[in-house]
Amino acid sequence: MGEGPVPEGLPAYCDAAVPVPVDQAFTYSLPRGLAAKVRPGCRVVVPFGHRTLSGVVLRTHHDTPDFEVRPISRVLDEVPSLTTELLRLAHWVAGYYSTPIGEVAKAMLPANNQLRYKKVVSLTRRGRRELDSVMMPVGIAMEVLASLSKRALTWTYLLQKHRGAAKALRQMQALGLVTVEKKLVSADPTNSRSALLMVEASGAGLAPEKPSAGERWLLDYLARHPGRHDVRALAVERSDAVRMARRLAKCGAVSLEAVVELGRVEREQDRFQLTQSQQTALDAIDRIVSAVRFKTLLLHGVTGSGKTEVYLRAIERVLERGRSALYMVPEIALTPALASQFFTRFQGRTALLHSGLSPTQRAEQWRAIRSGQAKVVLGTRSAVFAPLSDLGLVVVDEEHDGSYKQSEPAPRYNGRDVAIVRARSAKAAVVIGSATPGLETRWNAETGKYELLTMPHRINQRPLPKVDKVDMRREFSETGQVRLFSRAIVKAVQQCLARREQAIILLNRRGYSTHVLCRSCGERVECENCSVTLTYHKREKHLQCHYCDYSRPIPRRCDACGKQYMHFHGSGSEKVEDELRRCFPEASIARLDRDTVKAKDAFETILSAFRAGDYNLLVGTQMIAKGHDIPNVTLVCVIDADVGLGLPDFRAAERTFQLLTQVAGRAGRGEKPGRVLMQTMNPDHYAIDLAAGHDYDAFYRRELNFRKALWYPPFTSVATILVRSSDLSRAMAMTSALDQHLRPPPKGLRLIGPASAPVVKVRTEYRFQFLIKALDRRAVGQLLGQARGLALQQEWPPTALTVDVDPTDFL
């Protein structure tokens, strides 16, 4: 690395965003040898206190700071990871969501980004003298010193080589015999188990003069079979093929490349003629794209109306014009179902981006997008930061879904809203689609901010499913028994099975029983870390917290009174599955919830088997309610339609309506008509009644009046401030100080609270909450700035204050 002054014309300094909770960038000097390589958007390795961090360069300049600066250590990118457009977007996200720019930049880059830290151990002079003073190394400490005599070694390697080396290393470090340094290194993508490792001959003249038998075998094989080969497949013929390939790659005789395969190309199905409403929507989207201008369009189409086909054909037209497209879905679970369609339609030009990918897979997809090889990106909310150039179209499917909102960690952004801002900068069209648009979205369409496109009918004029409400109050009065399934559901499932058709059964709660209590004293079994009851999971035979994952065995006696009258209350999806097996022993049943899809690809495996007819009944939580098109499903049963209505959230009715409408839409998507049964204790509640009638417009009007009367979105902007600490008195003191600091609030802004959060204790931390409502978004930002300013001034811990703009969850 060159020393001395930076040549004239090159920048001398850069401002870098590093992932720390501080609202500023940090200035570093540029060494002579690196100044020409550093550009805005590049990742650089920089010293930060006693640590070494990876940051993103925001700008380069000649402005000499009036304080001492340290030089950057390393440049990680030949081509900037973040484009100018993405850097502008980073600044917008940081400002709007009141988040440090360094945390935003970190979120925009691939997870881990192929960088990792490793601990490197090396001998000191004192350690070498100690080793030289003994004739024969004895004991673990001396064996470790002997291993370090030739070169520095990693901490991990020494632990593997010498049993019990950890304690010895710590003791030697304390005595000054060894030094332990944390180094940032680039991970070798060819070591990834999730990628195909391809080998190809590259330089015969670079082969070793005296190759080993294994090296000679591999070189001869590649000479006889030119081209790229899966080296792990070659290991079937010779077990050391991978090791030989790595040795030959070091001298340049062969090249190794990690290839990630995430989708398969299938035979494309015959194209069908679009309906009139589909064609109208497609033409409207194409008109905006061809004009190269920004506009947001809301595609409001009933379930089964063919929205996905409109999106795919719109993307085709965008590609014909040489531009790129982004397609966002709310959950990873929906991605595999769409991936095959994308890989078939847009062969070789599709990349996937979601958190389910390994670091190697994600980095490979990122590179394909950045290089321009992939012009279409399919992914979840984080895909909004994909480095696409010349973006022409953004599609946000199921735009109402709460999964688009990031909750932890910061930045707490909404992928749908960030997508709209990004499209505005790129002069691209945005299509946000749903059968049940969020109230704020529909309001924006009604007031002219968005253009409204409607698709009110299903493909081939198929009818929407018939929905019947089952009043469980009447069921109890007539049978005198509390049953999980009503008589109507039992009969409907029996008829469905007799016709060799399929059914979906929804209960939006995990586990077997929702809580366990003592019948003698009424004590409930609660989590040690959170102020919630534990859920009973029968298969695992334990009680579990769904907030922090704490678990404990099932108690035989009450912890409070010591009596044995423990009773299980409530029902979850696991109990529904067991009850279905008891009622319908001849049926083949599968369950889809977070407990059954922990293994990689489990979701797609179960859903594919159900789609193929291997299962008659599919039971699960909300993940079975959206995006699935299975023609043989003719019956949908909702076990408890009231589950979400009691939540302390102004969106409770809206979410209930959306969930019921979406799951009802899974029935009757083929040639056979569909039927839906909803069990409820509140059949007259407008969310349930209007969902049963497929009447979105009536629900929208009624809910809008409620929001207006209580000063909620879309008529106001909302944000929350959460103060938290593991010490209750400390949490209360900080909350009181913040309350005094923010009072009185500016005119036109309402500050509600402080109050205990609905779940007052989560993961050992006590939580107190403020709610902000304002007509002006800028006033919200100013108040949040005041709150964060107090936290910085009083040196609160970084996690003590959490701000959330446009929150979707108040728990």
Side-chain angles (χ1 to χ4, degrees), residues 605-674:
T605 300
I606 296 171
L607 194 62
S608 295
F610 182 64
R611 188 181 290 113
D614 297 339
Y615 298 109
N616 311 114
L617 307 179
L618 179 66
V619 58
T621 54
Q622 62 179 348
M623 62 172 60
I624 67 174
K626 46 199 170 187
H628 312 308
D629 189 350
I630 303 172
N632 199 39
V633 171
T634 58
L635 177 66
V636 167
C637 301
V638 181
I639 300 306
D640 187 354
D642 315 312
V643 165
L645 289 176
L647 295 176
D649 190 332
F650 71 90
R651 292 191 177 95
E654 180 184 9
R655 286 181 176 151
T656 297
F657 176 86
Q658 289 169 338
L659 178 62
L660 295 179
T661 302
Q662 291 287 338
V663 74
R666 300 314 106 204
R669 296 175 76 95
E671 298 299 327
K672 304 170 186 176

Side-chain angles (χ1 to χ4, degrees), residues 2-21:
E3 299 294 338
V6 174
E8 189 175 348
L10 293 177
Y13 304 95
C14 74
D15 293 340
V18 294
V20 293

Side-chain angles (χ1 to χ4, degrees), residues 549-588:
D549 288 332
Y550 164 82
S551 66
R552 60 165 289 181
I554 304 161
R556 295 184 177 180
R557 296 177 179 271
C558 174
D559 295 339
C561 70
K563 302 219 175 140
Q564 295 180 321
Y565 304 120
M566 304 307 294
H567 189 67
F568 298 85
H569 279 264
S571 303
S573 55
E574 188 180 10
K575 187 174 184 178
V576 172
E577 181 189 12
D578 271 15
E579 190 67 11
L580 285 171
R581 294 188 188 282
R582 187 186 67 80
C583 293
F584 310 105
E586 75 283 6
S588 180

Side-chain angles (χ1 to χ4, degrees), residues 39 85 127 141 173 176 211 213 311 336 346 370 399 423 426 453 476 511 564-565 587 599 618 693 722:
R39 285 179 285 168
E85 176 201 341
Q173 186 181 11
Y311 302 147
F346 317 118
R370 189 73 182 91
E399 67 82 26
L453 306 172
F476 175 73
Q564 295 180 321
Y565 304 120
L618 179 66
L722 193 70

Side-chain angles (χ1 to χ4, degrees), residues 786-808:
Q786 290 181 38
R788 296 179 64 210
L790 177 71
L792 186 63
Q793 177 188 339
Q794 297 190 355
E795 298 182 345
W796 291 4
T799 60
L801 185 76
T802 299
V803 300
D804 193 355
V805 178
D806 301 334
T808 58

Side-chain angles (χ1 to χ4, degrees), residues 470-488 490:
V470 180
D471 188 343
M472 296 304 286
R473 299 170 302 180
R474 178 178 296 178
E475 184 78 10
F476 175 73
S477 68
E478 292 177 356
T479 64
Q481 295 179 322
V482 178
R483 293 174 175 171
L484 189 58
F485 302 144
S486 64
R487 293 166 297 173
V490 172

Side-chain angles (χ1 to χ4, degrees), residues 397-716:
D397 199 8
E398 306 292 358
E399 67 82 26
H400 67 277
D401 199 288
S403 299
Y404 281 118
K405 181 73 160 106
Q406 168 95 346
S407 55
E408 291 288 346
R412 295 169 182 84
Y413 66 95
N414 190 307
R416 175 199 61 202
D417 299 339
V418 175
I420 293 173
V421 173
R422 181 173 183 188
R424 182 176 61 195
S425 174
K427 294 183 178 179
V430 187
V431 183
I432 53 179
S434 175
T436 54
L439 256 74
E440 294 94 322
T441 301
R442 182 58 188 264
W443 174 255
N444 284 335
E446 193 168 289
T447 55
K449 188 174 181 180
Y450 301 163
E451 180 179 337
L452 178 62
L453 306 172
T454 59
M455 293 169 55
H457 304 293
R458 283 186 160 187
I459 297 291
N460 297 329
Q461 295 298 313
R462 291 174 186 145
L464 289 168
K466 181 180 182 295
V467 181
D468 294 317
K469 295 177 291 181
V470 180
D471 188 343
M472 296 304 286
R473 299 170 302 180
R474 178 178 296 178
E475 184 78 10
F476 175 73
S477 68
E478 292 177 356
T479 64
Q481 295 179 322
V482 178
R483 293 174 175 171
L484 189 58
F485 302 144
S486 64
R487 293 166 297 173
I489 281 185
V490 172
K491 182 178 179 180
V493 173
Q494 287 174 340
Q495 294 172 343
C496 180
L497 293 174
R499 296 191 301 266
R500 299 184 179 276
E501 295 168 359
Q502 293 171 292
I504 287 176
I505 294 91
L506 170 78
L507 178 56
N508 197 26
R509 279 195 299 246
R510 290 166 56 201
Y512 193 88
S513 298
T514 55
H515 58 281
V516 180
L517 59 78
C518 174
R519 277 186 166 175
S520 177
C521 68
E523 184 76 10
R524 295 179 180 232
V525 183
E526 293 195 347
C527 176
E528 289 187 355
N529 307 316
C530 312
S531 55
V532 295
T533 56
L534 296 176
T535 300
Y536 172 46
H537 289 257
K538 185 177 179 181
R539 298 282 171 82
E540 288 80 6
K541 298 179 181 179
H542 67 199
L543 303 178
Q544 183 181 351
C545 174
H546 290 170
Y547 282 85
C548 71
D549 288 332
Y550 164 82
S551 66
R552 60 165 289 181
I554 304 161
R556 295 184 177 180
R557 296 177 179 271
C558 174
D559 295 339
C561 70
K563 302 219 175 140
Q564 295 180 321
Y565 304 120
M566 304 307 294
H567 189 67
F568 298 85
H569 279 264
S571 303
S573 55
E574 188 180 10
K575 187 174 184 178
V576 172
E577 181 189 12
D578 271 15
E579 190 67 11
L580 285 171
R581 294 188 188 282
R582 187 186 67 80
C583 293
F584 310 105
E586 75 283 6
S588 180
I589 302 167
R591 175 162 57 96
L592 266 181
D593 55 28
R594 282 183 58 191
D595 300 313
T596 61
V597 297
K598 292 177 181 177
K600 185 177 174 62
D601 301 327
F603 181 95
E604 181 63 13
T605 300
I606 296 171
L607 194 62
S608 295
F610 182 64
R611 188 181 290 113
D614 297 339
Y615 298 109
N616 311 114
L617 307 179
L618 179 66
V619 58
T621 54
Q622 62 179 348
M623 62 172 60
I624 67 174
K626 46 199 170 187
H628 312 308
D629 189 350
I630 303 172
N632 199 39
V633 171
T634 58
L635 177 66
V636 167
C637 301
V638 181
I639 300 306
D640 187 354
D642 315 312
V643 165
L645 289 176
L647 295 176
D649 190 332
F650 71 90
R651 292 191 177 95
E654 180 184 9
R655 286 181 176 151
T656 297
F657 176 86
Q658 289 169 338
L659 178 62
L660 295 179
T661 302
Q662 291 287 338
V663 74
R666 300 314 106 204
R669 296 175 76 95
E671 298 299 327
K672 304 170 186 176
R675 186 186 179 197
V676 181
L677 293 172
M678 296 180 182
Q679 292 185 172
T680 172
M681 299 290 286
N682 298 281
D684 299 324
H685 191 286
Y686 67 97
I688 295 173
D689 186 50
L690 296 174
H694 305 289
D695 197 342
Y696 175 87
D697 290 335
F699 175 82
Y700 169 72
R701 293 296 169 198
R702 181 152 184 178
E703 187 72 6
L704 205 63
N705 291 334
F706 160 70
R707 301 280 184 91
K708 189 173 184 179
L710 296 180
W711 234 51
Y712 278 117
F715 302 101
T716 58

